[in-house]
Amino acid sequence: MDEALIRSLTPSVLTVLVRRGADFAAAEDAVQEALVEAVRRWADDPPRDPKGWLVTVAWRRFLDAVRADTARRRREDRVEEEPAPGPAPDVDDTLQLYFLCAHPSLTPSSAAALTLRAVGGLTTRQIARAYLVPEATMAQRISRAKRTVSGVRFDRPGDVATVLRVLYLVFNEGYSGDVDLAAEAVRLTRQLAASVDHPEVAGLLALMLLHHARRAARTAPDGSLVPLAEQDRGLWDTASIAEGVAMLQAALARDRLGEFQAQAAIAALHADAPTAGETDWVQIVEWYDELARLTGSPVVRLNRAVAVGEADGPRAGLAELAGLDEALPRYTAVAAYLHERDGDLDRAARLYAEAARKASDLAERDHLTRRAGRLNSRRRAGR
């Protein structure tokens, strides 16, 4: 792959997008995403027409961003940015649409993908990233789901479990900062909790509130990510934390543990710690054990490796990591962190740089690049 060629094509690709009607800032973002995709793909499969390839991918990214922004603006016209505590005072038909899209004729994964695209306003790329599958695979899944329901009547709502999964994914996409959907997900989950008596609904709402409470501390004034251990806990929303903890305790008392309750319990332990150093990592590992039992998710085991590294030392965390697939998202970033804590700065810096190259999110890539740069500076100073 010729990176010099990619850089040389950037101005002309940007010009094409602007001539097609894209504003300059949005065109720049779309071209940057296309360049990242080129770096990832061209090494194994270089295109015959590099400029045409970049224009096509950048234009698609631009259109995805426009559609997502339009959907977001429609939602923001209906709701305030921050969710108010207590039962939702008004009920619209959005939640009903979630249930109808979760049609019994669809598999849960197809129903969730269709709902995220048709109602949630997420792009195919964002949904694919949430499900850890290629964008083309997700596009085919959504197309099949549309064909399946094209001839049926939407008069049989789907099940609560599928709707919960969709709301969880919508919240996560919003919480990542890529599209502001978190408050909308909280609002709809409040509506669901007010109408359905189910411990997992309460568990999901508690989880959302506990994560949403930390949102103001997750980014610095310049937009860069702030890791949990470095966040200013004075910026956390204590009212949302208290509400989330109370809701979680009531759900756990019913002794019908589910994955959202387990995740909320982990979030509550982080919220309960006055400082990062006082976090009860031993209990967090125990909750990750429960979560792994409930889900069998390799991503859960990856997060558990971090918790083990905090509870029992970085080498114990690295031993847990050794049993996992290196292709897992954020595997390399976790390995970098554990090696840094173990004192192997040289290896940690290399791994942070590698993780940055793999990251699809710009803020995460910048954060990992800064970590690598900081460690390289420390190494040079040490010499």
Side-chain angles (χ1 to χ4, degrees):
M1 177 196 62
D2 190 342
E3 294 190 17
L5 171 63
I6 295 177
R7 288 194 297 271
S8 70
L9 291 172
T10 300
S12 59
V13 175
L14 186 58
T15 299
V16 172
L17 264 64
V18 171
R19 285 177 177 171
R20 288 185 178 184
D23 67 86
F24 190 80
E28 276 192 318
D29 290 342
V31 171
Q32 287 300 316
E33 291 192 23
L35 295 178
V36 171
E37 190 73 9
V39 170
R40 185 160 50 234
R41 291 192 182 185
W42 288 12
D44 299 322
D45 185 22
R48 293 187 213 172
D49 178 9
K51 179 181 175 180
W53 189 98
L54 286 170
V55 168
T56 299
V57 174
W59 184 247
R60 287 174 181 167
R61 296 292 185 265
F62 167 72
L63 293 178
D64 283 346
V66 169
R67 283 193 290 264
D69 188 60
T70 301
R72 175 183 61 79
R73 289 179 187 278
R74 285 199 300 266
R75 284 187 294 273
E76 288 180 347
D77 288 339
R78 296 197 309 267
V79 298
E80 295 180 352
E81 183 179 6
E82 293 297 325
D90 299 311
V91 178
D92 58 26
D93 61 355
T94 306
L95 188 59
Q96 182 63 20
L97 288 175
Y98 273 70
F99 273 96
L100 292 175
C101 282
H103 198 273
S105 63
L106 296 172
T107 64
S109 61
S110 294
L114 178 62
T115 312
L116 290 169
R117 188 73 185 92
V119 187
L122 273 66
T123 65
T124 302
R125 178 168 55 91
Q126 290 165 335
I127 301 168
R129 185 174 61 195
Y131 275 94
L132 310 179
V133 300
E135 184 176 348
T137 300
M138 183 53 66
Q140 292 173 356
R141 184 179 299 177
I142 294 172
S143 295
R144 284 196 299 269
K146 289 179 178 178
R147 287 196 299 270
T148 299
V149 299
S150 61
V152 302
R153 293 180 58 189
F154 280 81
D155 56 359
R156 292 189 300 152
D159 65 346
V160 172
T162 300
V163 173
L164 284 178
R165 176 62 51 190
V166 174
L167 289 169
Y168 173 68
L169 291 172
V170 169
F171 178 82
N172 281 346
E173 191 61 47
Y175 191 65
S176 74
D178 196 20
V179 180
D180 189 7
L181 297 171
E184 172 72 347
V186 173
R187 185 183 74 87
L188 292 173
T189 307
R190 283 193 186 281
Q191 287 188 8
L192 188 59
S195 60
V196 176
D197 183 22
H198 193 291
E200 272 294 81
V201 177
L204 177 58
L205 182 53
L207 175 63
M208 289 180 175
L209 290 170
L210 289 164
H211 279 300
H212 207 66
R214 302 201 300 258
R215 189 168 189 176
R218 291 185 71 245
T219 55
D222 62 0
S224 59
L225 292 180
V226 180
L228 176 60
E230 300 171 20
Q231 288 177 14
D232 178 359
R233 300 186 177 216
L235 297 176
W236 291 1
D237 183 347
T238 54
S240 290
I241 290 173
E243 183 185 5
V245 168
M247 193 170 296
L248 171 65
Q249 289 173 339
L252 292 175
R254 300 177 65 174
D255 199 24
R256 291 168 56 193
L257 183 64
E259 63 172 295
F260 295 127
Q261 295 170 72
Q263 288 191 58
I266 293 169
L269 286 167
H270 283 298
D272 187 54
T275 66
E278 297 173 85
T279 304
D280 190 343
W281 287 105
V282 173
Q283 272 204 71
I284 288 176
V285 171
E286 292 174 354
W287 276 111
Y288 270 122
D289 288 338
E290 290 287 348
L291 191 55
R293 179 183 62 80
L294 289 166
T295 66
S297 168
V299 175
V300 168
R301 293 182 60 201
L302 181 67
N303 292 330
R304 181 183 180 279
V306 176
V308 170
E310 298 290 350
D312 301 326
R315 295 194 178 181
L318 287 167
E320 293 289 331
L321 196 64
L324 300 178
D325 185 353
E326 295 183 11
L328 280 171
R330 300 194 72 250
Y331 178 99
T332 308
V334 169
Y337 173 74
L338 292 172
H339 279 294
E340 178 186 0
R341 289 210 48 228
D342 195 37
D344 190 346
L345 302 189
D346 190 26
R347 188 170 185 181
R350 291 198 305 272
L351 287 169
Y352 275 130
E354 180 184 344
R357 290 192 294 270
K358 294 178 179 179
S360 58
D361 180 78
L362 290 175
E364 183 178 2
R365 182 162 69 247
D366 289 345
H367 170 70
L368 293 168
T369 300
R370 283 193 296 271
R371 298 285 291 237
R374 186 198 65 199
L375 291 187
N376 284 326
S377 297
R378 284 174 57 188
R379 286 168 47 231
R380 286 192 293 269
R383 294 190 189 123

